Amino acid sequence: AQTVTQSQPEMSVQEAETVTLSCTYDTSESDYYLFWYKQPPSRQMILVIRQEAYKQQNATENRFSVNFQKAAKSFSLKISDSQLGDAAMYFCAYRSYHSGSARQLTFGSGTQLTVLP
Amino acid sequence: DAMVIQNPRYQVTQFGKPVTLSCSQTLNHNVMYWYQQKSSQAPKLLFHYYDKDFNNEADTPDNFQSRRPNTSFCFLDIRSPGLGDAAMYLCATSRDYATGMNEQFFGPGTRLTVL
């Protein structure tokens, strides 16, 4: 079974600064997908960014980018120019490429990000 | 806007009193999921439907049941809620899972309190 570890329960960043959230995972599979989801207080979880394991190029979505290190099984999220609206719980998630288990997202325990004005 | 809607947003029930949470979607997605999320923890998948095909996770308690009468609606029934069932319940949808990249769209959740 796959596991996802987020070792930072809480992080804080000054507005306009850059912050990196870490995520590591354990899998024996070679093909899989990785996601970062954001869950703001009292609002629904939304997808921030996703990465296919077979792609070497790191995914980027505006101010959000990832550092995907397949050999190290690491998938960190970098938020540049942090904004107050970035304050949320961030979950790293893994999904198998294969059917059957592909139905399930395995989530990490989350990192609570505070943005300081 | 196409979306995932959960009602009610807050639900209070008494110990042992059956409760039903509802989820509807306007995305016309084939797959609907129910997650349980306890405070400061990761969401835990309870079960999901692919169309009418029900898939239960192995460790989901028998106390939890689900119904999907049509594509748009899915219900979570808790037959005899215990104090340990107090949590946020998240509904999510995806177009299918033929490819793992299919994004899951989440509703805002229903926070269940058990007295």
Side-chain angles (χ1 to χ4, degrees):
Chain A
Q2 295 81 22
T3 58
V4 178
T5 302
Q6 293 179 248
S7 59
Q8 306 151 316
E10 297 176 350
M11 292 279 286
S12 63
V13 62
Q14 286 294 139
E15 198 174 2
E17 297 294 311
T18 296
V19 65
T20 298
L21 309 184
S22 66
C23 172
T24 58
Y25 56 94
D26 187 26
T27 184
S28 58
E29 298 177 329
S30 57
D31 294 320
Y32 48 87
Y33 306 92
L34 296 165
F35 306 85
W36 279 98
Y37 278 88
K38 168 185 176 182
Q39 188 177 35
S42 301
R43 295 180 63 187
Q44 63 251 58
M45 196 176 309
I46 57 173
L47 180 66
V48 175
I49 198 165
R50 55 189 162 191
Q51 175 84 39
E52 296 156 284
Y54 66 85
K55 287 189 176 178
Q56 291 188 339
Q57 186 173 4
N58 288 325
T60 300
E61 289 286 344
N62 299 315
R63 298 183 294 108
F64 299 86
S65 61
V66 298
N67 183 5
F68 174 48
Q69 301 288 330
K70 190 172 184 179
K73 297 180 183 175
S74 171
F75 183 62
S76 61
L77 174 69
K78 186 171 82 171
I79 306 173
S80 304
D81 186 25
S82 297
Q83 301 174 1
L84 295 177
D86 295 333
M89 180 72 89
Y90 286 81
F91 290 98
C92 178
Y94 173 104
R95 190 168 192 177
S96 172
Y97 175 83
H98 301 290
S99 61
S101 59
R103 298 167 186 154
Q104 183 170 352
L105 281 173
T106 300
F107 287 92
S109 54
T111 297
Q112 182 68 52
L113 179 67
T114 301
V115 180
L116 304 170
Chain B
D1 287 342
M3 58 199 310
V4 181
I5 302 159
Q6 290 189 246
N7 286 307
R9 294 290 308 275
Y10 301 91
Q11 176 75 57
V12 180
T13 190
Q14 291 182 326
F15 183 94
K17 185 175 181 180
V19 65
T20 295
L21 310 181
S22 73
C23 176
S24 63
Q25 52 127 343
T26 60
L27 298 159
N28 203 33
H29 282 173
N30 290 314
V31 192
M32 295 186 77
Y33 307 81
W34 278 105
Y35 290 88
Q36 180 191 64
Q37 185 181 22
K38 296 191 174 179
S39 182
S40 302
Q41 295 184 21
K44 177 181 179 300
L45 183 65
L46 295 173
F47 27 59
H48 72 276
Y49 276 93
Y50 187 101
D51 195 13
K52 293 185 184 295
D53 182 25
F54 177 71
N55 298 270
N56 198 31
E57 294 304 304
D59 56 355
T60 298
D62 293 339
N63 199 24
F64 292 86
Q65 311 264 312
S66 186
R67 296 169 284 135
R68 189 178 185 185
N70 53 52
T71 300
S72 301
F73 284 87
C74 194
F75 299 97
L76 170 62
D77 300 309
I78 308 176
R79 292 192 295 185
S80 182
L83 298 178
D85 296 328
M88 177 75 84
Y89 289 88
L90 302 175
C91 176
T93 73
S94 66
R95 189 183 314 277
D96 63 34
Y97 40 61
T99 62
M101 278 290 278
N102 263 253
E103 178 181 350
Q104 289 191 20
F105 292 83
F106 286 82
T110 294
R111 183 166 296 284
L112 178 68
T113 300
V114 181
L115 301 177

